Amino acid sequence: MASTPHLGSHVLVHRQLQDLVVVQQDQLDKLRHELRAKEGWVDKEEFEALQRELQLEREEHIKTKAKLASESEKLQFALGEIDVLSKQLEREKAAFENALGLMKNKAQRESQQASQLKDKCSEVVAQCELQEDILNVKDLRINDLKQRLTKQKQAHKAQMKDLEIQQQQDAYISRLLEDSGQGRRRAGKTGKKGLTKIDFDDEL
């Protein structure tokens, strides 16, 4: 409440200034009207507007130059990073191509080795199959020889048995002949008493 008179005085001054501005504006309008009537004169409002516009353009130009400088700095920094990344990419690309070449060479060598091992394995398999065929043939021959040997043993056993029988028969016949000779000698000694008949059938 104590500040009300002070605020009222400010309002009064503001109104007075407004009135003064209106008066001055009227005077300026009259002056502009008079100046426009004279040839070769420029409207001050237009001149001031142009000055303000020029000032604004200058300020905008300064802002644009500052922004351009900032963007140029950012661009240079980005270009530097791009250059570093490009060189790094080239190095990595060269390293990758080198590694890829080494891997291709290694894969080619391993492929050749695998092909050689495959050929060797095929050769070993063929040799094993050949040896297996040879072993099969030998097994067949061994089995055949075993069968022949068995037959030979059986034949030999039969021959030995036949020989034993033959020997027994020969011994038996020899005994018969020996017994027959002794009987004849006894019959000769008896003389006229006659011959004694030997029954071979009973001996047989």
Side-chain angles (χ1 to χ4, degrees):
M1 297 299 293
S3 61
T4 302
H6 182 69
L7 181 60
S9 63
H10 279 288
V11 172
L12 180 60
V13 172
H14 180 68
R15 288 179 179 177
Q16 290 175 353
L17 289 174
Q18 283 183 341
D19 294 336
L20 180 60
V21 169
V22 171
V23 173
Q24 290 177 349
Q25 186 66 38
D26 292 335
Q27 291 176 355
L28 288 173
D29 292 338
K30 290 179 181 180
L31 180 61
R32 290 192 190 97
H33 182 71
E34 292 175 356
L35 290 174
R36 285 173 183 171
K38 296 180 180 179
E39 186 177 359
W41 287 79
V42 178
D43 186 13
K44 183 179 179 180
E45 185 178 354
E46 292 180 1
F47 177 74
E48 290 177 352
L50 289 175
Q51 281 186 331
R52 288 193 299 271
E53 185 177 354
L54 179 60
Q55 184 64 28
L56 290 174
E57 290 292 335
R58 286 176 179 176
E59 292 176 357
E60 291 295 328
H61 182 63
I62 292 173
K63 291 179 182 179
T64 304
K65 286 180 67 176
K67 187 176 180 180
L68 178 62
S70 177
E71 294 297 328
S72 297
E73 184 178 357
K74 292 180 181 179
L75 178 61
Q76 292 299 323
F77 180 75
L79 290 175
E81 287 187 340
I82 291 173
D83 184 60
V84 172
L85 292 175
S86 297
K87 291 180 180 179
Q88 183 179 358
L89 180 62
E90 289 296 327
R91 289 194 299 270
E92 292 178 354
K93 183 179 179 182
F96 173 76
E97 290 178 352
N98 186 22
L100 182 61
L102 293 175
M103 291 179 63
K104 285 183 178 180
N105 293 332
K106 183 178 180 181
Q108 186 175 3
R109 289 195 303 269
E110 290 180 352
S111 178
Q112 292 176 354
Q113 291 177 357
S115 179
Q116 293 175 357
L117 289 174
K118 185 177 180 181
D119 294 338
K120 288 182 180 179
C121 289
S122 299
E123 184 178 355
V124 171
V125 169
Q127 291 179 354
C128 290
E129 291 177 351
L130 179 61
Q131 290 179 353
E132 186 175 357
D133 293 338
I134 294 173
L135 291 175
N136 291 330
V137 172
K138 288 184 178 180
D139 287 338
L140 291 175
R141 290 182 62 186
I142 290 172
N143 291 330
D144 181 65
L145 290 174
K146 285 181 179 179
Q147 292 177 358
R148 291 173 62 184
L149 182 60
T150 301
K151 290 180 180 179
Q152 288 179 357
K153 286 181 178 180
Q154 292 175 353
H156 179 70
K157 186 176 181 181
Q159 289 177 357
M160 291 298 294
K161 188 174 182 180
D162 292 340
L163 180 61
E164 184 179 358
I165 294 172
Q166 183 66 36
Q167 288 177 351
Q168 291 176 357
Q169 290 178 353
D170 291 342
Y172 180 74
I173 293 173
S174 296
R175 287 197 304 270
L176 288 178
L177 292 176
E178 184 178 355
D179 293 341
S180 177
Q182 291 178 356
R184 288 178 182 177
R185 284 193 297 272
R186 286 195 300 269
K189 289 181 180 180
T190 55
K192 296 180 181 180
K193 292 180 178 179
L195 297 174
T196 302
K197 184 178 179 182
I198 300 174
D199 192 357
F200 289 96
D201 295 333
D202 293 337
E203 295 292 335
L204 292 176

